[in-house]
């Protein structure tokens, strides 16, 4: 705001040598205010995170007064609505991990191989064209993925390799969830591979390495920690995913966790009770908060782990 | 510092004049007496539509050090990289003419650049060790070339030849190549290249990123290596060329201006451009 004025005076006549070098009145205060405003915006993300954490801790206090964390985490049976009630999430954790595992099994090889293709084999033009297409996959609403799993993948599997597959099952949900996190894995891995310095590749080529040897023995190992970070982020995304599993995996915890059977993840459990027409007591709500807290802590830990892995990777070439 | 219009004009005029002088001028070549390992025949290279190298014909003598000198952008790195087909890796590069390795054109149909590079190694301007242990850096070339036995022995031998063994022998597996100093990294890269027993070692300004002491060590190393290996070194440092090489080629504007024994080229250059360059009149 002050620019036109000061420039105007400068072009009209250059200021006399005795002109004051002091700031105009109020400038300092304005700068302070602006700084404060930005600080506030920056802090809001932190505040929201802390508030969320606090809400979950507060909300689950009632639950943990009755049920010990050992029983919560160590018991298999989740039955908050039937007598005798039981609040074990071990089966839910197992189901969550199995579905996440299936998703990663689909997304990791596909994602890393697409990343290798985009970064090493595709022409610059193909790369510029394909990468946005891949990222479009990330923008598909998860409810669409869920419906796709339920109405397309499950019938497809039933009609071909697994005739006994349940209408609801963990397998289709896991596979489709793999498609959902594929762009995340591919895009992050591609960035990592593309960032491996050219000089490293040339060093390997100059020793008589083939293109495959350069990729397999130099580029991929150099990008290993970055790909590891992508893996962890994808995992935390898969653990927190709700809509696909709610639609396609069912609402019954499977123990032992068999992906051809209906499965219930931690997230579906919350959806199930929070949206169901059962009369949920304050205590059951508190149990949901406990599950929420578990999810929150898990994904937080995974995200922090990925942050440190990425940081370590960055230090490598600088 | 923006040049004044006057500076720019005289600069351009001087360049145009030198370009003119080069036209139709045959390179002044004093042929080496040693048998050649690598020979280029009318080697021309284009980046897209821009010609970086213009019909260079040169014989590189066996077990000698040949320095390629010339101002920035004269095509010396391009020339060097053409000798083991590293230019193939850059999109849009077109090569014409021949590079003969023991009389065989490495650009001929059916020649695999991978095989060429296994025989003609390269050390780069900026040390580029792999983010692996010191041992694995040297063993890399051995492994991909199918050596399975006596790896430890070969790694040690390569590190000794690169005068690095004594400094790193205690933490071969523990330290990464990136933990070493710049000069050590460059010697590691030389060891890595030597491990696969190349006949020719191409060095692209190998000391330009190093301090004077590390530079001196690399130069000593070059002296020792030429007993067994043919070395072609690109440098923008004329003192270095004079110190390490037996033969020197002066490239300018993509053309070979003069080639001959180093002492002669520096003391009694045949061409005026060579004299102007080595006496610092332009560059």
């Amino acid at each position: 705001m002050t620019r036109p004025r000061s420039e105007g005076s400068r072009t009209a006549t250059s200021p006399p040598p005795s002109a004051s070098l002091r700031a105009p009145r109020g400038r300092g205060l304005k700068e302070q205010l602006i700084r404060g405003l930005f600080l506030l915006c920056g802090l809001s993300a932190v505040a929201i995170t802390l508030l969320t954490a606090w809400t979950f801790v507060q909300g689950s206090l009632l639950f943990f007064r009755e049920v010990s964390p050992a029983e919560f985490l160590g018991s298999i049976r989740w039955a908050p609505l039937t007598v005798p009630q039981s609040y074990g999430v071990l089966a839910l954790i197992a189901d969550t991990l199995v579905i996440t595992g299936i998703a990663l099994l689909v997304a990791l090889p596909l994602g890393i191989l697409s990343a290798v293709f985009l970064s090493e084999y595709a022409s610059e033009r193909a790369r510029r064209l394909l990468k946005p297409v891949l990222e479009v996959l990330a923008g598909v609403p998860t409810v669409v993925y869920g419906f796709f799993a339920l109405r397309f993948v499950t019938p497809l599997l039933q009609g071909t390799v697994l005739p006994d597959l349940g209408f609801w099952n963990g397998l289709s949900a896991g596979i489709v969830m793999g498609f959902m996190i594929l762009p995340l894995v591919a895009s992050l891995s591609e960035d990592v591979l593309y960032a491996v310095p050219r000089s490293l590749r040339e060093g390997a080529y100059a020793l008589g390495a083939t293109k495959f040897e350069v990729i397999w023995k130099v580029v991929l190992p150099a990008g290993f920690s970055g790909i590891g970070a992508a893996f962890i982020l994808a995992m935390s995304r898969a653990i927190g995913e709700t809509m696909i599993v709610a639609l396609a995996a069912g609402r019954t915890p499977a123990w032992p966790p068999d992906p051809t059977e209906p499965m219930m993840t931690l997230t579906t459990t919350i959806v199930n009770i929070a949206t169901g027409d059962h009369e949920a007591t304050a205590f059951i709500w508190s149990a949901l908060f406990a599950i929420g807290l578990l999810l929150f802590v898990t994904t937080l830990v995974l995200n922090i782990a990925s942050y440190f892995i990425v940081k370590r990777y960055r230090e490598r070439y600088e | 510092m923006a040049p004044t219009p006057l500076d720019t004009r005289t600069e351009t005029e001087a360049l145009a004049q030198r370009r003119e002088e080069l036209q139709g001028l045959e390179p002044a070549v004093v042929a080496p007496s040693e048998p050649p390992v690598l020979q280029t025949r009318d080697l021309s290279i284009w980046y897209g539509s821009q010609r970086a190298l213009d019909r260079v014909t040169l014989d590189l003598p066996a077990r000698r050090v040949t320095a390629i000198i010339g101002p920035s952008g004269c095509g010396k790195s391009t020339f060097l990289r053409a000798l083991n087909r590293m230019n193939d890796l850059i999109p849009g590069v077109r090569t014409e003419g021949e590079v003969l390795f023991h009389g065989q054109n490495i650009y001929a149909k059916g020649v695999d650049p991978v095989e060429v590079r296994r025989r003609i190694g390269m050390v780069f301007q900026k040390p580029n060790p792999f983010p692996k242990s010191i041992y694995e850096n040297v063993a890399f070339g051995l492994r991909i070339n199918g050596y399975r036995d006596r790896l430890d022995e070969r790694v040690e031998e390569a590190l000794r030849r690169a005068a690095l063994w004594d400094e790193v022998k205690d933490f071969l597996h523990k330290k990464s190549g990136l933990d070493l100093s710049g000069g050590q990294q460059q010697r590691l890269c030389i060891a890595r290249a030597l491990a696969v027993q190349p006949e020719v070692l191409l060095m692209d300004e190998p000391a330009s990123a190093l301090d004077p002491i590390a530079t001196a060590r690399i130069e000593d190393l070059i002296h020792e290596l030429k007993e067994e290996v043919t070395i072609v070194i690109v440098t923008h440092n004329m003192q270095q060329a004079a110190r390490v090489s037996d033969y020197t080629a002066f490239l300018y504007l993509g053309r070979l201006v003069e080639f001959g024994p180093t002492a002669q080229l520096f003391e009694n250059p045949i061409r005026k451009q060579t004299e102007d360059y080595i006496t610092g009149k332009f560059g």
Side-chain angles (χ1 to χ4, degrees), chain A residues 154 158 162-169 172 248 260-262:
Chain A
T154 298
Q158 283 168 336
L162 288 168
D164 296 336
L165 195 65
F167 179 73
W168 282 298
N169 64 81
S172 325
T260 61
E261 297 285 318

Side-chain angles (χ1 to χ4, degrees), chain B residues 31-226:
Chain B
S33 49
E34 297 86 352
V37 169
L38 272 171
Q39 299 161 285
T40 66
R41 292 290 173 261
D42 283 328
L43 185 65
S44 293
I45 295 169
W46 283 263
Y47 291 105
S49 59
Q50 200 189 345
R51 192 180 193 141
L53 209 61
D54 187 2
R55 290 162 291 165
V56 172
T57 296
L58 198 59
D59 285 5
L60 298 160
R63 298 207 170 92
R64 291 290 178 273
V65 180
T66 304
I68 315 286
I69 60 166
S72 300
C74 71
K76 51 192 193 297
S77 280
T78 305
F79 174 77
L80 192 77
R81 293 169 60 95
L83 299 180
N84 68 343
R85 293 191 60 172
M86 287 299 283
N87 286 331
D88 291 19
L89 303 172
I90 303 170
V93 169
R94 187 159 60 87
T95 306
E96 258 180 29
E98 294 182 331
V99 175
L100 306 174
F101 179 53
H102 292 298
Q104 190 189 357
N105 182 13
I106 63 171
Y107 285 90
K109 251 204 179 122
V111 170
D112 185 354
V114 169
E115 292 304 318
V116 171
R117 296 183 200 124
R118 287 181 183 189
R119 310 273 298 273
I120 305 173
M122 189 160 202
V123 174
F124 298 84
Q125 186 169 358
K126 205 171 145 254
N128 56 352
F130 303 127
K132 302 175 189 284
S133 72
I134 293 165
Y135 182 92
E136 284 305 321
N137 260 282
V138 182
F140 180 88
L142 294 167
R143 289 190 203 280
I144 60 169
N145 283 286
Y147 293 93
R148 289 282 173 271
D149 53 326
R150 302 197 298 115
L151 270 191
D152 292 358
E153 215 174 294
R154 289 175 201 272
V155 168
E156 177 177 343
E157 193 205 326
L159 285 167
R160 279 189 192 283
R161 285 175 76 192
L164 189 61
W165 173 253
D166 290 332
E167 291 161 59
V168 300
K169 64 178 178 212
D170 296 329
F171 37 82
L172 286 181
H173 294 277
K174 278 189 214 107
K175 278 201 182 178
S176 156
L178 293 164
D179 294 333
L180 300 174
S181 73
Q184 289 174 324
Q185 286 190 13
Q186 194 61 298
R187 276 179 285 143
L188 179 62
C189 292
I190 293 174
R192 185 174 77 181
L194 290 174
V196 294
Q197 316 258 323
E199 276 178 67
V200 182
L201 192 58
L202 309 175
M203 304 178 112
D204 190 356
E205 306 202 26
S208 68
L210 305 182
D211 63 71
I213 295 169
T215 301
R217 299 207 62 164
I218 301 277
E219 291 180 6
D220 288 346
L221 189 56
I222 291 171
H223 270 296
E224 287 160 29
L225 289 175
K226 73 170 182 185

Side-chain angles (χ1 to χ4, degrees), chain B residues 227-248:
Chain B
E227 306 282 322
E228 300 149 59
V229 188
T230 303
I231 293 173
V232 187
I233 178 173
V234 158
T235 176
H236 61 251
N237 177 334
M238 279 171 285
Q239 286 75 31
Q240 183 171 69
R243 281 192 301 265
V244 302
S245 69
D246 304 297
Y247 291 91
T248 298

Side-chain angles (χ1 to χ4, degrees), chain A residues 103-138:
Chain A
L104 289 174
L105 232 51
V106 171
L108 273 189
L110 271 180
I112 293 174
L113 292 180
S114 345
V116 167
F117 171 75
L118 282 176
S119 133
E120 308 297 318
Y121 288 96
S123 67
E124 191 55 35
R125 230 184 103 210
R127 189 180 117 89
R128 273 207 306 268
L129 208 74
L130 283 174
K131 219 182 160 190
V133 173
L134 191 71
E135 278 159 4
V136 163
L137 267 185

